[in-house]
Amino acid sequence: MAKYMLIMRGTDEGQAQYEQLDFTEVIAAMGRYNESMMNAGVLAAGEGLSDASEGAVVDFSTDTPVVTDGPYGETKELFNGFWIVDVATKEEAIEWAKRAPLSGPGTKLEVRRVTGPEDFPQDNEWVQKEQGWREEQAQRAQQA
């Protein structure tokens, strides 16, 4: 099994079209989609993102990072949310992405594999430390 992130992307034009939709219908469609992934046992995580005007960008193009608050000027793409699915193959992740109840100009789902500890050199000090941190977090979560 591998984890894939389905990254929801859109444009200003798509966002304007989305705002014309019945919000109750949107939530119901997303709920049915999420439920189908839960029932299939593939949904590991998923969240929507707040409006870009509430966010900020940290730009590392200069020696000192520059922070810009939203809303942004011209937007070519906005990241609107994501799902993480735990599936056997990239093709299966794509099939789940194709079922998403999304539409509108510029609306896309990018499918990317989530890397795991096994993707990095196991003898690296920082890879080993991170594995230890993950184990500590899992133990704390069990105790909570």
Side-chain angles (χ1 to χ4, degrees):
M1 297 297 278
K3 289 183 181 173
Y4 285 85
M5 180 178 266
L6 312 180
I7 305 165
M8 191 184 327
R9 301 184 316 186
T11 61
D12 287 337
E13 184 181 1
Q15 181 66 27
Q17 183 174 330
Y18 166 79
E19 291 171 2
Q20 301 303 311
L21 298 174
D22 180 338
F23 189 68
T24 303
E25 290 177 21
V26 170
I27 293 297
M30 285 295 181
R32 287 189 295 274
Y33 179 61
N34 292 342
E35 182 178 46
S36 71
M37 289 192 290
M38 285 185 271
N39 289 341
V42 302
L43 184 63
E47 301 293 339
L49 300 176
S50 67
D51 188 89
S53 66
E54 297 176 24
V57 172
V58 180
D59 184 345
F60 294 92
S61 299
T62 61
D63 288 340
T64 303
V66 176
V67 177
T68 306
D69 291 330
Y72 314 109
E74 179 185 3
T75 306
K76 294 185 180 176
E77 287 189 330
L78 291 170
F79 294 96
N80 296 318
F82 68 92
W83 292 273
I84 295 180
V85 294
D86 199 354
V87 295
T89 64
K90 177 180 171 183
E91 290 71 24
E92 186 178 356
I94 291 169
E95 285 304 312
W96 280 106
K98 288 166 49 177
R99 297 176 193 170
L102 302 173
S103 63
T107 302
K108 301 173 186 174
L109 271 182
E110 180 178 347
V111 177
R112 302 266 306 270
R113 188 175 66 83
V114 177
T115 59
E118 67 279 1
D119 293 308
F120 299 95
Q122 298 304 298
D123 61 347
N124 180 281
E125 170 189 7
W126 292 102
V127 171
Q128 292 171 358
K129 283 183 178 183
E130 183 170 336
Q131 183 61 31
W133 297 330
R134 289 176 186 263
E135 290 169 6
E136 286 176 24
Q137 286 179 329
Q139 288 174 357
R140 280 189 225 137
Q142 287 178 343
Q143 293 171 354

